[in-house]
Amino acid sequence: MKAIKNTLLAIAASASALCANAADNGLVRWPNEAADTVRLNTMLVEASALRPARPGEYVAWFGEKFLGTPYKAHTLEHAPEQLTVNLDSLDCTTFVETALALAITAQERRWSWRDFIYNLRRIRYRQGSVDGYASRLHYICDWALDNTARGNFSEVTNRFPKVNYAVKTISFMSENADKYPALADSATLANIKNVEIGYRNHRYPFIKTIDTSEKNTKAEFRQGDIVAFTSTLKNLDVTHMGIIVVRDGAPYVMHASLSAGKVLISETPLDKFLKRNRSFTGVRVFRLTE
């Protein structure tokens, strides 16, 4: 078995070297192309030996591959808009999207970085197509609606014992355009405003912080669930994301932490993590379709 695995890893490295400069590779922005394609293939080949009980276990497994990776914001903010793959530094969203795209690729029993690229693009961009800055799914409400409609994953918030609903007009980006260099362009700003129009008085489910302490709520979380932390801001739905890791029956959060400066697993369970972060009102939960 070890010999077979080593052979597969060698094939993965060789395939990456051959494919790295393929014509369609120009559509991807890589800080470290050669090393990253090999790393992606290696992780995917290693995952081929796994037989998880549920697809979400892939998400947690891949997420743990990035523990200790430095936190860095704004790694996607480059012009022109291209699919960016950065394995050396992550923010909360790129960490989740990277683990999720790898998990979907493994679930499909595909083991190439090209397949990962395909799935990352499907997750990150509206209808899976890169068409300028506004085609990126910046808001989690938009990300959730687009991805669940296309069957990339499911929202399971409503399956929990206690569910509440918030109604907000999502407009943070246009109201804070100075925070986003790309929005200095009037046409791009207009495109973002067009996206926001679809989220006026937007209603979405969430699990309140107080309810995450209940035993029956804790029991509903599964290894590899994606959690989106709902915001107290009046014009924004979500301000952070992470992956659930279940330990001794309790859900913990694996996430790219700004304060810690790296990807880590929270020292306290989810309910206590939420209580210590008063900018969160609760969580939405997403899960790979089983």
Side-chain angles (χ1 to χ4, degrees):
M1 177 64 76
K2 185 176 181 180
I4 293 173
K5 181 178 178 181
N6 288 339
T7 300
L8 286 171
L9 291 175
I11 292 171
S14 177
S16 287
L18 290 171
C19 294
N21 292 313
D24 63 340
N25 198 34
L27 299 175
V28 181
R29 181 181 288 109
W30 302 86
N32 195 351
E33 179 184 338
D36 288 348
T37 51
V38 170
R39 185 179 176 189
L40 287 165
N41 277 6
T42 300
M43 286 190 288
L44 287 165
V45 170
E46 288 178 356
S48 68
L50 302 178
R51 293 295 181 270
R54 296 188 174 100
E57 294 176 20
Y58 276 129
V59 181
W61 187 86
F62 281 113
E64 290 181 4
K65 292 290 185 181
F66 295 97
L67 288 173
T69 300
Y71 179 98
K72 185 177 180 180
H74 313 304
T75 57
L76 305 185
E77 302 304 309
H78 299 280
E81 185 71 24
Q82 287 179 291
L83 181 70
T84 297
V85 180
N86 188 340
L87 306 184
D88 298 325
S89 55
L90 300 161
D91 64 23
C92 67
T93 303
T94 58
F95 167 61
V96 166
E97 288 181 336
T98 299
L100 190 54
L102 282 163
I104 291 173
T105 304
Q107 186 184 15
E108 295 172 338
R109 310 302 293 171
R110 298 180 183 274
W111 317 116
S112 166
W113 65 264
R114 290 177 174 275
D115 301 301
F116 162 80
I117 290 297
Y118 172 77
N119 284 318
L120 183 62
R121 186 181 291 113
R122 285 175 60 215
I123 292 167
R124 184 173 290 168
Y125 289 91
R126 186 168 292 101
Q127 296 297 310
S129 179
V130 182
D131 185 21
Y133 186 78
S135 69
R136 197 189 330 151
L137 298 163
H138 297 275
Y139 290 117
I140 297 305
C141 57
D142 200 22
W143 183 85
L145 184 62
D146 187 85
N147 276 282
T148 57
R150 290 185 287 120
N152 290 339
F153 49 78
S154 302
E155 177 157 17
V156 296
T157 311
N158 285 326
R159 300 182 192 177
F160 281 71
K162 288 187 178 181
V163 181
N164 288 270
Y165 290 86
V167 177
K168 291 186 179 183
T169 292
I170 308 300
S171 55
F172 182 88
M173 291 182 70
S174 64
E175 292 180 13
N176 294 274
D178 59 313
K179 298 179 183 292
Y180 303 91
L183 299 188
D185 176 70
S186 60
T188 302
L189 177 58
N191 288 336
I192 288 294
K193 287 182 177 179
N194 284 336
V195 170
E196 293 172 346
I197 286 173
Y199 295 94
R200 289 178 178 171
N201 296 317
H202 178 62
R203 184 174 183 265
Y204 58 89
F206 74 106
I207 304 160
K208 282 186 175 181
T209 293
I210 192 171
D211 294 328
T212 61
S213 298
E214 296 190 6
K215 185 177 180 179
N216 57 350
T217 296
K218 290 180 180 180
E220 287 295 320
F221 284 100
R222 293 181 183 174
Q223 183 87 345
D225 280 351
I226 303 299
V227 283
F229 294 87
T230 50
S231 173
T232 56
L233 295 173
K234 67 177 183 179
N235 56 0
L236 188 61
D237 55 334
V238 164
T239 52
H240 193 53
M241 299 185 77
I243 297 169
I244 290 296
V245 175
V246 178
R247 292 179 167 176
D248 298 323
Y252 288 72
V253 185
M254 177 165 49
H255 63 125
S257 168
L258 171 61
S259 60
K262 62 182 178 180
V263 176
L264 48 71
I265 298 173
S266 60
E267 294 181 355
T268 59
L270 174 66
D271 58 330
K272 293 181 180 178
F273 177 85
L274 279 164
K275 288 176 181 177
R276 292 179 179 180
N277 291 273
R278 296 187 179 182
S279 62
F280 304 146
T281 61
V283 293
R284 296 177 71 174
V285 188
F286 304 93
R287 184 176 294 163
L288 279 186
T289 305
E290 299 179 0

